[in-house]
Amino acid sequence: MYRYLFTTLVLATPLAVADISLGTPTTPAAAANASSAEARPYVDMAQEVLNAVRELTSVLETVHDTASADAAAAQVQSITRNMLKLQTRAEAMPRPSAAVEQVVRGSINVQEAQQIAASFMNSFIRIGMNNAYGSQALLDSLGPVLNAMPGNAE
């Protein structure tokens, strides 16, 4: 489940942010039964992933030519390494209960997540359409993001 969350956030799919669960949503009463302590690690993970995508987006928005692409590459590499660590941690987490999933869904500001997702996609597409402005370093640093896309072998 969290591999799905990670991949969809990295690919900036706002729907996945709005509905983390792969199953059916629970009732508000069921969500109320999930303890804060039980939900906290999952809420924290969702927020960490969103923050990583926000940080990556911020760096990608600075790329407009070869010099800025080369300059951004080290930061992008650091962020994508962090994202891979988050993915590993998320995959190691046990599947949460439906009630915890409901709490996690409720903890995400969907409007903010959609804005971050749109900004990420705009930057990612712009950079792609400009062949990373000729920066092999930037292409290499984006490798983990590219590998997370459907159809790419990992």
Side-chain angles (χ1 to χ4, degrees):
M1 178 189 81
Y2 278 93
R3 176 166 179 75
Y4 172 79
L5 170 65
F6 180 84
T7 300
T8 52
L9 278 174
V10 167
L11 298 177
T13 307
L15 267 177
V17 177
D19 185 15
I20 292 169
S21 172
L22 299 179
T24 355
T26 58
T27 64
N33 290 332
S35 75
S36 294
E38 181 185 10
R40 178 63 21 208
Y42 299 93
V43 169
D44 290 348
M45 178 58 67
Q47 196 59 51
E48 284 184 69
V49 171
L50 188 58
N51 287 341
V53 175
R54 180 186 295 115
E55 183 181 11
L56 180 58
T57 300
S58 178
V59 173
L60 293 179
E61 287 175 341
T62 69
V63 175
H64 297 285
D65 55 27
T66 305
S68 60
D70 287 341
Q75 285 181 283
V76 170
Q77 183 176 41
S78 175
I79 295 165
T80 56
R81 281 183 182 157
N82 179 50
M83 292 172 93
L84 289 174
K85 289 176 186 174
L86 288 173
Q87 179 179 355
T88 300
R89 282 182 31 222
E91 289 174 349
M93 296 172 79
R95 180 166 178 88
S97 68
V100 168
E101 287 181 3
Q102 182 73 20
V103 171
V104 173
R105 276 194 303 274
S107 75
I108 295 171
N109 179 330
V110 175
Q111 185 176 1
E112 176 190 21
Q114 288 174 333
Q115 188 279 322
I116 292 167
S119 295
F120 171 80
M121 284 307 294
N122 287 338
S123 292
F124 197 76
I125 290 168
R126 177 181 47 77
I127 289 167
M129 290 187 72
N130 287 286
N131 296 319
Y133 297 95
S135 174
Q136 187 61 47
L138 182 60
L139 281 176
D140 292 345
S141 67
L142 285 169
V145 175
L146 296 172
N147 289 336
M149 291 186 171
N152 285 322
E154 294 187 18

